[in-house]
Amino acid sequence: MDDRPHVTLEDVAREAQVSLATASRALNGTTKVRSDLRERVLAAANQLAYTPNAHAQALAGGAHRTVGVICHDVSDPYFAGISRGVMRAADEAGLLVMLASTFRDPQKEIAYISMLRAQRASAILLVGSGFEDREWERALAAEIEPYQRGGGQVAVVSRHRTLRVDSVQPENREGAAQLARTLTAQGHRRFAVLAGPRALTTVVDRLRGFREGLAEAGVELAESHIVEASFTRDGGHAAMSELLARGLDATCVFAVTDVMAMGALAALREAGKSVPEDVSLAGFDDIPVVRDLAPPLTTVALPLEELGEKVMELAVRDNRGKRSRILRMPGTVVVRESTRAPTAP
Amino acid sequence: MDDRPHVTLEDVAREAQVSLATASRALNGTTKVRSDLRERVLAAANQLAYTPNAHAQALAGGAHRTVGVICHDVSDPYFAGISRGVMRAADEAGLLVMLASTFRDPQKEIAYISMLRAQRASAILLVGSGFEDREWERALAAEIEPYQRGGGQVAVVSRHRTLRVDSVQPENREGAAQLARTLTAQGHRRFAVLAGPRALTTVVDRLRGFREGLAEAGVELAESHIVEASFTRDGGHAAMSELLARGLDATCVFAVTDVMAMGALAALREAGKSVPEDVSLAGFDDIPVVRDLAPPLTTVALPLEELGEKVMELAVRDNRGKRSRILRMPGTVVVRESTRAPTAP
DNA sequence: TCCTAGCGTGAAAGCGCATTCAGAAAGCGC
DNA sequence: GCGCTTTCTGAATGCGCTTTCACGCTAGGA
């Protein structure tokens, strides 16, 4: 950019007939400035439509007012909810948010962190499940650690047992366990699970919790009853279709994500199965839309917006040197009409 | 931030035993550098975990690699869809996106533009309906114009008859008219409309188009059959409830937004009315979830992701001095099961 | 062999700002 | 009224980088 040069502080100072230093002080209010001078400066700035150059400010030692947020996909309601909380908190703190979507590409994630480092963002937030992959964890750490040494704050939502960062962790395991208890209490004994990629910590946790919950009622989940698919609506649809094609042998299906559950619901409807009469269906996350599905979805509610707010708070509240903080956010089982006692076989 | 000073180019140059200029050139590849020197520089940079300071780069005249996007609410599926397209395009162009949500507060919008100006963002994208408010338009222009004079690119999605900017415009009016034609063709004659705030250009356009489409079939829409509410799921719910309380006198309800339609659907269900047996319901936007509702929603499909990609393209493709470009994006009526011929009264 | 291009390199200027430092003006006590 | 402290102002410095600018070197032609 920069066709015509920008209006600079120097222009303002000249217009107001004061020194550059005085103009700077008048604008920032850091030091007392004689009131008539300040008036002149403000008037000049206003008249020239002056906007300080944030790069110059940052370079000259002023505060950096931006935070970076990296998530998998903004258009996924789960991340959209969290982003909303992040932005609300950022707004209150007067911070500018740089949001990037990685579309689940680990390489892109690293690249974005590097860019945010270059921007000297005051904090970087990683939102979303991590990969269970040594190589990637190492590459990530290689970006994160120098950034932290430079004074950067890092906070994450979910995942990351290896990274030394503050984190907000949804209680995926316990939430899934609770859900399992609820479902077995309703009388279900034969389950199928629509899982996301097993490389994601979130999937692993929810799966494990669910199994544990089932185990308490003496129910086992056969590996053959778990279908793995991508973490999307279409992934859920495909997984459910496959399950159906195999000849579904379950009274209740648990999709590890609401988004997947939506796809599953569609697949069931297309196959002429009705929920919950023929089969019960449960999800996880409680994204806003699922209460409006027909039938409304039983799920585990996560306070998405609050997740976003908390992670931002962690990032803003300075925590240098101290050990990393962990905020656990419990999930709450919300029973709606998509699950009910199985009809006698 | 900045506890420990950052690694600077000077550190790298010293480590590699070359001058600062050479180090810069080696890293950027702008000029030929003797290969052994370049190797040394690269090695040193890598070893020191050097990341260039983007602020210094920008200040020194390097390219600015960020664009700002301002929308009403990231968590709204409509904006989420557009954001997705924007980010995909930004990613391809190697740009960093700063995304801000205004939560429909005009003041906040102005404030964000100012911050983006300060960041010397290479482009600013305004996504979402504008307000029909002289005062606000003036204030907006006062931010936008100096920015453009400084060489900044501005592009918007929808709205803004007064601003001299490139824009991508969904054909709200024509889309709504098409929808009206479709509905009258199905046999509907008595309509009600769930409108968003009348101060939004999007609402005005859709309303007008819908009326025009109805008029072609000789149907009029009484002002009393239009309920105004906020542009949200709950807004739609409230508006529908009010309509029901008044004694709904229509065979078909048009919600100007899919999100509102979802709320309306819930309200209808709660009131014991079934769609489309008792009343037909149509929306606008075709956000991803509506095809999974029960019944799937009839609506006007807008290519949301493409909207985002296009607006980004406009902003990136330089257009200095030339007249502003307008890209019209047609909507397509998608008939699903939420509408059908009214049952004889 | 000498001179001229031409390529690579390093020194230095400057991007726009905050801030330090020194000095001028103003206020105080005596 | 004089010297002192206290305020406020302006000149100058530096943040980290890109980019001239000028110079030294090698290669090629005469």
Side-chain angles (χ1 to χ4, degrees):
Chain A
M1 49 184 283
D2 286 351
D3 270 337
R4 209 169 308 199
H6 267 277
V7 175
T8 73
L9 187 58
E10 194 180 348
D11 299 327
V12 174
R14 193 180 319 114
E15 176 77 18
Q17 315 237 42
V18 298
S19 76
L20 207 150
T22 303
S24 171
R25 288 188 274 245
L27 258 10
N28 296 318
T30 47
T31 314
K32 274 232 174 311
V33 174
R34 219 172 63 216
S35 62
D36 59 324
L37 293 190
R38 186 177 48 241
E39 291 303 320
R40 290 218 308 264
V41 172
L42 262 36
N46 196 44
Q47 189 210 320
L48 298 175
Y50 168 71
T51 305
N53 183 323
H55 296 300
Q57 291 190 153
L59 196 56
H64 308 235
R65 306 264 59 188
T66 75
V67 302
V69 179
I70 299 178
C71 69
H72 292 308
D73 184 355
V74 267
S75 66
D76 183 313
Y78 175 76
F79 296 111
I82 295 177
S83 297
R84 183 174 224 264
V86 167
M87 298 211 150
R88 186 184 298 286
D91 185 51
E92 273 170 26
L95 264 29
L96 212 46
V97 174
M98 307 183 87
L99 213 181
S101 287
T102 62
F103 298 108
R104 299 198 183 278
D105 176 348
Q107 294 249 252
K108 217 166 269 183
E109 174 158 327
I110 304 274
Y112 278 126
I113 295 177
S114 180
M115 290 177 83
L116 290 171
R117 276 224 283 158
Q119 291 288 334
R120 299 298 187 267
S122 57
I124 295 181
L125 311 184
L126 268 26
V127 179
S129 174
F131 303 89
E132 297 221 320
D133 175 331
R134 293 275 161 226
E135 174 83 37
W136 172 80
E137 278 177 3
R138 200 161 27 235
L140 193 62
E143 281 292 334
I144 291 286
E145 280 162 13
Y147 175 71
Q148 290 176 313
R149 275 198 300 276
Q153 294 277 314
V154 180
V156 309
V157 172
S158 77
R159 70 152 144 191
H160 295 307
R161 336 212 175 288
T162 58
L163 242 38
R164 286 211 55 229
V165 296
D166 295 341
S167 62
V168 176
Q169 307 205 352
E171 296 197 336
N172 286 318
R173 190 166 160 190
E174 179 55 23
Q178 280 287 4
L179 179 63
R181 284 179 206 121
T182 305
L183 296 172
T184 53
Q186 285 190 330
H188 293 280
R189 287 293 174 277
R190 300 200 315 281
F191 293 88
V193 174
L194 273 28
R198 295 290 259 275
L200 298 177
T201 54
T202 302
V203 175
V204 173
D205 292 348
R206 293 183 183 178
L207 222 46
R208 182 189 311 191
F210 194 68
R211 273 210 162 101
E212 289 170 354
L214 293 185
E216 290 172 20
V219 176
E220 262 193 58
L221 178 65
E223 194 62 35
S224 63
H225 284 199
I226 301 178
V227 183
E228 199 174 325
S230 89
F231 241 177
T232 59
R233 184 263 185 203
D234 290 344
H237 188 283
M240 191 68 237
S241 301
E242 186 184 330
L243 222 44
L244 250 14
R246 284 195 207 162
L248 174 64
D249 171 34
T251 60
C252 181
V253 175
F254 167 46
V256 296
T257 274
D258 281 350
V259 172
M260 294 184 79
M262 290 181 55
L265 188 58
L268 285 167
R269 190 164 39 228
E270 288 162 20
K273 301 263 187 193
S274 56
V275 176
E277 290 77 8
D278 299 326
V279 55
S280 288
L281 177 66
F284 203 114
D285 290 337
D286 196 29
I287 58 177
V289 301
V290 298
R291 64 168 171 161
D292 286 325
L293 296 178
L297 194 70
T298 292
T299 188
V300 179
L302 249 29
L304 298 180
E305 208 166 322
E306 195 180 343
L307 248 47
E309 282 172 9
K310 293 292 187 201
V311 72
M312 189 62 153
E313 277 172 29
L314 283 181
V316 169
R317 193 150 12 116
D318 193 8
N319 190 38
R320 275 172 257 204
K322 292 176 220 143
R323 42 178 308 201
S324 52
R325 295 162 294 189
I326 298 181
L327 234 55
R328 298 195 187 282
M329 306 288 286
T332 317
V333 174
V334 179
V335 179
R336 297 205 183 92
E337 295 150 39
S338 72
T339 57
R340 71 168 188 201
T343 49
Chain B
M1 49 185 284
D2 287 348
D3 270 338
R4 212 168 305 199
H6 267 276
V7 175
T8 74
L9 185 58
E10 194 181 348
D11 299 328
V12 174
R14 192 178 321 114
E15 176 77 19
Q17 315 237 42
V18 297
S19 77
L20 209 148
T22 303
S24 171
R25 288 189 273 247
L27 258 9
N28 297 316
T30 47
T31 313
K32 274 232 172 317
V33 173
R34 220 172 62 216
S35 63
D36 58 324
L37 294 192
R38 186 178 48 242
E39 292 302 321
R40 287 216 313 259
V41 172
L42 262 35
N46 195 44
Q47 190 210 317
L48 298 175
Y50 168 71
T51 305
N53 183 324
H55 295 300
Q57 291 190 158
L59 196 56
H64 307 235
R65 306 265 60 192
T66 76
V67 301
V69 178
I70 299 179
C71 69
H72 292 306
D73 184 356
V74 265
S75 66
D76 182 312
Y78 176 76
F79 296 110
I82 295 177
S83 297
R84 185 175 223 263
V86 166
M87 299 210 146
R88 187 183 298 287
D91 184 50
E92 272 170 27
L95 264 27
L96 210 47
V97 174
M98 307 182 88
L99 213 182
S101 287
T102 62
F103 299 109
R104 298 198 183 276
D105 176 347
Q107 294 249 253
K108 217 167 268 180
E109 174 159 327
I110 304 274
Y112 277 127
I113 295 177
S114 180
M115 290 177 83
L116 290 171
R117 275 224 283 157
Q119 292 287 334
R120 297 297 184 269
S122 57
I124 296 181
L125 311 184
L126 267 25
V127 180
S129 174
F131 303 89
E132 297 221 319
D133 174 330
R134 292 277 161 224
E135 174 82 37
W136 172 81
E137 277 177 4
R138 200 161 28 234
L140 192 62
E143 281 292 332
I144 293 287
E145 280 163 14
Y147 175 71
Q148 290 176 313
R149 275 198 299 277
Q153 293 276 316
V154 180
V156 309
V157 173
S158 76
R159 70 151 146 190
H160 296 309
R161 338 214 173 285
T162 60
L163 242 39
R164 286 212 55 230
V165 296
D166 295 341
S167 61
V168 176
Q169 306 204 351
E171 297 197 337
N172 286 316
R173 192 168 158 188
E174 180 54 24
Q178 280 287 5
L179 179 63
R181 287 180 203 117
T182 305
L183 296 172
T184 54
Q186 284 190 331
H188 293 279
R189 286 295 174 272
R190 301 199 316 281
F191 293 88
V193 174
L194 272 29
R198 296 291 258 277
L200 299 178
T201 54
T202 303
V203 174
V204 172
D205 292 349
R206 292 184 183 178
L207 221 46
R208 182 190 310 192
F210 194 67
R211 273 209 161 100
E212 290 169 354
L214 293 186
E216 290 171 21
V219 176
E220 263 193 56
L221 178 64
E223 194 59 37
S224 63
H225 283 197
I226 301 177
V227 183
E228 198 174 325
S230 89
F231 240 176
T232 60
R233 185 265 183 202
D234 290 344
H237 188 282
M240 191 67 237
S241 301
E242 187 185 328
L243 222 43
L244 250 14
R246 282 195 208 163
L248 175 64
D249 171 35
T251 60
C252 180
V253 174
F254 167 45
V256 296
T257 275
D258 281 351
V259 172
M260 293 184 80
M262 290 180 57
L265 188 59
L268 285 166
R269 188 165 40 229
E270 288 162 19
K273 301 261 186 193
S274 55
V275 175
E277 290 78 7
D278 299 325
V279 56
S280 288
L281 178 67
F284 203 115
D285 290 338
D286 196 29
I287 59 176
V289 301
V290 299
R291 64 168 172 162
D292 285 326
L293 296 178
L297 194 70
T298 292
T299 188
V300 180
L302 248 27
L304 297 180
E305 207 166 324
E306 196 179 343
L307 249 45
E309 281 172 10
K310 292 294 184 198
V311 72
M312 189 64 152
E313 276 172 29
L314 282 182
V316 168
R317 194 149 12 115
D318 195 7
N319 189 38
R320 274 173 261 203
K322 293 176 219 143
R323 41 180 308 200
S324 52
R325 296 163 294 190
I326 297 182
L327 235 56
R328 298 195 187 283
M329 306 290 283
T332 318
V333 174
V334 181
V335 179
R336 297 206 182 92
E337 295 149 41
S338 72
T339 55
R340 72 166 187 204
T343 50

